[in-house]
Amino acid sequence: MKILVILLLALLPVTAMAAPGLAALTVQPGEDGSQTYSVTIQVLLFMTALTLLPAALMMMTSFVRVLIVLGILRQAMGTQQAPSNQVLIGLALFLSLFIMTPVFDRVYEDALGPYLDEQIQIQEALQRAAVPFRSFMLGQTRDDDLLLFASISNTGELETADDVPFTLLMPAFVTSELKTAFQIGFLVLIPFLVIDLVIASLLMSMGMMMLSPMIISLPFKIMLFVLIDGWSLIMGTLAASFSV
């Protein structure tokens, strides 16, 4: 539980690295005048959490849904590697930061800010930081998915949201995000599929079966996407699909 919340705090601004009591080295003088240097346990835990930071970024935020929808959009348009994978990941990352900003603000106000001001201890800060993320993830998780993983893990009856452990909430949240992403992707795919079918039917009726329909339909799909201001619609729909 504490390791998961530490990962959440690692997603906050870099000022958390300057938290009091997080000294990198401890110097212990010896009886013969020598000095022994040792790395503190806090730094070891922090460095261990950094290795799991990419997984936390993808699986505990809106990143998965956004990236899958953008990937399906590129596949539907048939533009191969345009936009490139780096561009799609960048778009998904910054849109996720926009979507998750209210959650990050609550974590800073309730947990990280008081901890940096030495008003609360690290244990209480971790508990407070978990609350906004728990609320966000529960808001996006289907009840069926929670019941599924609760049944698999033989968890007892969950009366309130506080009774849902992170070990159960995380897989249920990711499963719900995958379902929602593919539902949105299906709706995005339909208009482009109609264009492909129309172009393929026209080419077959003209006897031009050797010509790839993808080559002919690509300009029409790009023109349609530009005329309807597709990027704004996609980004706005993805942002609005999260009830933060």
Side-chain angles (χ1 to χ4, degrees), residues 76-80 192-205 207-222:
M77 294 181 64
T79 53
Q80 302 300 326
F192 300 103
L193 179 61
V194 171
I195 294 178
D196 287 334
L197 292 175
V198 172
I199 297 298
S201 300
L202 290 176
L203 292 177
M204 291 185 64
S205 64
M208 304 174 63
M209 292 178 293
M210 299 300 294
L211 183 61
S212 175
M214 296 294 296
I215 299 177
I216 306 301
S217 62
L218 179 58
F220 292 97
K221 290 190 288 188
I222 294 178

Side-chain angles (χ1 to χ4, degrees), residues 67 70-71 74 79-91 231:
L67 185 60
L70 293 179
R74 184 179 66 179
T79 53
Q80 302 300 326
Q81 295 299 320
S84 63
N85 292 332
Q86 292 82 356
V87 174
L88 289 185
I89 293 175
L91 288 174
W231 285 114

Side-chain angles (χ1 to χ4, degrees), residues 61-190:
T61 64
S62 59
F63 184 82
V64 170
R65 183 190 304 186
V66 175
L67 185 60
I68 291 178
V69 172
L70 293 179
I72 294 177
L73 172 63
R74 184 179 66 179
Q75 186 72 21
M77 294 181 64
T79 53
Q80 302 300 326
Q81 295 299 320
S84 63
N85 292 332
Q86 292 82 356
V87 174
L88 289 185
I89 293 175
L91 288 174
L93 177 62
F94 284 104
L95 185 58
S96 298
L97 290 176
F98 171 78
I99 295 171
M100 299 297 296
T101 294
V103 178
F104 293 154
D105 289 342
R106 286 186 56 192
V107 172
Y108 185 84
E109 294 175 0
D110 299 341
L112 186 58
Y115 173 70
L116 295 178
D117 294 337
E118 300 184 7
Q119 298 177 359
I120 59 177
Q121 299 297 322
I122 183 63
Q123 291 82 3
E124 184 178 355
L126 296 178
Q127 294 175 356
R128 291 187 180 184
V131 174
F133 281 94
R134 178 186 291 272
S135 300
F136 171 80
M137 296 170 69
L138 284 173
Q140 311 303 323
T141 305
R142 293 177 170 85
D143 293 338
D144 294 340
D145 295 325
L146 282 175
L147 294 176
L148 171 63
F149 287 97
S151 175
I152 295 175
S153 61
N154 295 323
T155 304
E157 184 178 356
L158 304 174
E159 298 180 356
T160 62
D162 295 335
D163 297 333
V164 181
F166 258 107
T167 54
L168 190 152
L169 178 59
M170 290 182 62
F173 170 73
V174 174
T175 303
S176 295
E177 285 295 283
L178 291 175
K179 291 180 180 179
T180 305
F182 279 97
Q183 289 175 353
I184 298 176
F186 173 76
L187 298 177
V188 171
L189 186 62
I190 290 178

Side-chain angles (χ1 to χ4, degrees), residues 6-26:
I6 291 175
L7 289 175
L8 300 179
L9 287 175
L11 296 174
L12 298 173
V14 186
T15 53
M17 298 177 61
L22 199 61
L25 294 175
T26 300

